[in-house]
Amino acid sequence: MSTILAYLPLAVLLAFAVLTALGAVSLLSRRQHPLRILSLALTNAAYLLIWALLIPLTSVIAIAWWVLVVATLAGIVVASVRASRPLSVPAADPAATRGQEKRRRRTLRQLGAPGLAGVIANGAVFVAVAVLALVAG
């Protein structure tokens, strides 16, 4: 049991790294609603803060942490610039293929404000990871 507890901070660190990287990639890759940008930015900031409190930032860990900080900041800037520009979403086309209509609906969903279920799921993941970090650290 003590061996598992000894490696638990590293497992939490890896989970934070993966979650932060996914958030940064999401910010960089597609256009999103400003509230989604805010939600992802705050979540990534909280993950990075807990990560910094959990394990001393030395050598490779510090470099990885700073890479994720820069990726998150770059994602916030890119997503904010994208959100500030107008977008014309094509109207529903009766001749569109099934894949094209699916892409159009996914784009419309991403441009909308986050739903209550998404906010609750985001909060639940954050609480679970924070509890795990407190138990590990």
Side-chain angles (χ1 to χ4, degrees):
M1 184 68 173
S2 63
T3 307
I4 293 173
L5 287 177
Y7 287 111
L8 195 56
L10 293 176
V12 172
L13 177 82
L14 183 62
F16 281 147
V18 169
L19 290 172
T20 306
L22 288 174
V25 167
S26 177
L27 285 169
L28 287 167
S29 65
R30 60 182 178 260
R31 187 179 195 103
Q32 297 184 7
H33 190 275
L35 289 177
R36 286 186 196 272
I37 296 169
L38 178 65
S39 174
L40 280 171
L42 292 176
T43 302
N44 278 5
Y47 289 158
L48 288 167
L49 177 66
I50 293 172
W51 183 4
L53 294 173
L54 185 64
I55 292 179
L57 296 178
T58 58
S59 66
V60 175
I61 295 174
I63 292 170
W65 189 81
W66 279 108
V67 165
L68 290 173
V69 168
V70 169
T72 299
L73 290 174
I76 293 167
V77 169
V78 168
S80 297
V81 168
R82 274 193 199 131
S84 69
R85 294 186 178 157
L87 172 71
S88 61
V89 178
D93 183 15
T97 65
R98 189 174 183 187
Q100 289 171 335
E101 182 60 25
K102 196 173 184 180
R103 273 194 302 276
R104 189 183 78 76
R105 278 188 266 126
R106 184 178 60 223
T107 301
L108 288 173
R109 188 175 55 246
Q110 289 169 352
L111 294 175
L116 182 61
V119 172
I120 291 172
N122 195 5
V125 167
F126 174 72
V127 168
V129 173
V131 166
L132 188 59
L134 289 174
V135 169

